[in-house]
Amino acid sequence: GDGMARVTEAHIDARTKSILAAAERAFARKGYFGATMQDIATEAGLSAGAIYHYFAGKEAIIEAIGDARSEDSRDIIAGIAREAGASLDAFAMLARAFFTQLQPRHGDRGCIDFELWSAALRNDHVRDTIVRGAEAVIAPLTELLRQAQANGDLAEDIDAEALARVLYGTFDGLTVQLATGQPADVDRYVDALVAMFSGQMWSSRKVTRRAAAPQRKAE
C-alpha cells in the first residue's frame, strides 16, 4: 500500500544521498575525470551494476550534487530572509551560514569544487551544472540587495547583481585558498568580509562615496 511506497521512497532517497556522498569522496581523491563509476560504487559499498539503477553515469551524479547544493543554498537564503529581511544582519548571517560549509569538519568541499571547476573547462554538462548552482545563490542575493536599496539601506547607484557576484566570489576565493592549503581562517575571513560589507573596515568615516565611485570616462 501507500506505506510501502513511502518506505521504498525513503530507502531510495537514503541510498541516493549515500551515493552522492561517496561520489564527492571519490572525486576529491581521484578527480572528476580520474574517478570511475566503479570507484564510486566501491566507495558507496555497492556493486558496479547496482549503482546504475540510481545514476546513468558521472554526469548525472554531478547534476544531482549540484541540484542538492542549489536547493540547500536557496533554503538558507529564504530562511534568513524570512527571519531578518534585507537588513545588514541578514547579510552577516548569510555569510556565516555559507562559510561554515568550508570549515574542515565539513569534509572535502573545497577539493571537490576545485575538481568541478577544472572539469567544467572540458565538459559543458559540468559547466552548466556549476552555472546553475551559482545562479541559485546570485539570483536571490541580488533580490535581497535590491530590497535593501528599496529600503534606503543600500546606495541606489550600486549595481545589485554585480555586488551579489562580488559577494559570491568571496566564497569561491576562500575555497581556492583552503583547497590549496593556504593558512586561511574561516571565522576571521567572515569577520573581515562583514566589516568590509558594512563599511566598518575604515578607522574613520572620512571615506566619501565620491572617492569610492567608479571613475568612468564620459560616454
Side-chain angles (χ1 to χ4, degrees), residues 6-108:
R6 274 200 300 277
V7 169
T8 308
E9 200 175 307
H11 172 76
I12 290 170
D13 195 42
R15 179 53 59 83
T16 301
K17 283 195 172 117
S18 76
I19 292 170
L20 296 184
E24 292 207 8
R25 292 193 298 274
F27 293 148
R29 200 171 62 247
K30 290 193 165 187
Y32 176 75
F33 292 108
T36 63
M37 284 293 274
Q38 174 66 69
D39 291 328
I40 295 166
T42 304
E43 190 77 46
L46 294 170
S47 69
I51 199 167
Y52 285 102
H53 287 302
Y54 297 91
F55 293 102
K58 286 195 291 182
E59 289 187 347
I61 288 175
I62 282 299
E63 196 166 331
I65 289 171
D67 288 346
R69 284 189 182 180
S70 296
E71 199 175 322
D72 287 347
S73 297
R74 280 191 287 263
D75 287 349
I76 289 169
I77 296 171
I80 289 173
R82 275 196 304 273
E83 189 180 334
S87 64
L88 183 56
D89 281 349
F91 290 101
M93 288 160 72
L94 280 170
R96 302 245 173 254
F98 275 95
F99 282 90
T100 298
Q101 298 171 42
L102 295 178
Q103 297 281 22
R105 65 179 178 278
H106 286 266
D108 297 313

Side-chain angles (χ1 to χ4, degrees), residues 91 141-150 152-167 196-199 208-210 212-214 216:
F91 290 101
L141 204 49
T142 300
E143 185 51 41
L144 266 187
L145 289 164
R146 285 188 179 133
Q147 285 174 30
Q149 287 176 321
D153 290 331
L154 184 67
E156 285 180 21
D157 56 344
I158 293 172
D159 185 290
E161 188 189 332
L163 187 51
R165 287 188 179 280
V166 169
L167 292 172
M196 286 173 67
F197 188 74
S198 60
T208 63
R209 291 289 329 285
R210 191 182 301 280
R216 290 205 185 92

